[in-house]
Amino acid sequence: MKKIASIFAMLLMALTLSISFDSCSSATVGAAISQLNSQCPQDMGNGLTMTKSELVDGNWVITVSAPNGSAELFDGNAMKPNLLSYVKSDADMVSLLKESNTALIYKFVFPDGEDQVSVSPSEL
């Protein structure tokens, strides 16, 4: 699980690189999802693969396959401060999530189950 925690920063960087907004952008969550999906599946190293990005119940869900990990050992609460810090540092992302009232969720799929880490608009 330490591998997943250490690679989480890479996932955030991939999201930043994958979603480039114009300075006066009229970006939407749908456009960001489409752009990210055009790059999936994306190998993140150490056995992690970003498999898809989608809107689920009004939330932006980025699914990551982690076949070498375990849901039982995953600690999303430990990763949450990193995700929150990353999102808050990107004014375009904060604006996009707040204006659309959309939570950003990283869903990790393990052989023994699933777990997630998320940031809601109210936390921004």
Side-chain angles (χ1 to χ4, degrees), residues 64-82:
V64 178
S65 173
N68 300 326
S70 170
E72 191 173 308
L73 301 175
F74 182 79
D75 185 3
N77 290 329
M79 291 185 187
K80 181 149 184 153
N82 292 333

Side-chain angles (χ1 to χ4, degrees), residues 36-111:
L36 193 57
N37 270 329
S38 72
Q39 300 173 7
C40 288
Q42 189 173 76
D43 181 10
M44 304 310 298
N46 290 327
L48 296 179
T49 304
M50 189 177 337
T51 58
K52 66 181 171 180
S53 176
E54 62 188 332
L55 199 60
V56 178
D57 298 328
N59 301 311
W60 181 1
V61 179
I62 298 172
T63 303
V64 178
S65 173
N68 300 326
S70 170
E72 191 173 308
L73 301 175
F74 182 79
D75 185 3
N77 290 329
M79 291 185 187
K80 181 149 184 153
N82 292 333
L83 178 59
L84 189 56
S85 175
Y86 159 75
V87 173
K88 283 184 174 181
S89 73
D90 185 332
D92 289 332
M93 181 70 75
V94 169
S95 177
L96 178 64
L97 295 175
K98 279 185 166 184
E99 288 175 13
S100 63
N101 195 32
T102 303
L104 176 62
I105 301 170
Y106 276 89
K107 179 174 79 172
F108 291 87
V109 179
F110 304 98

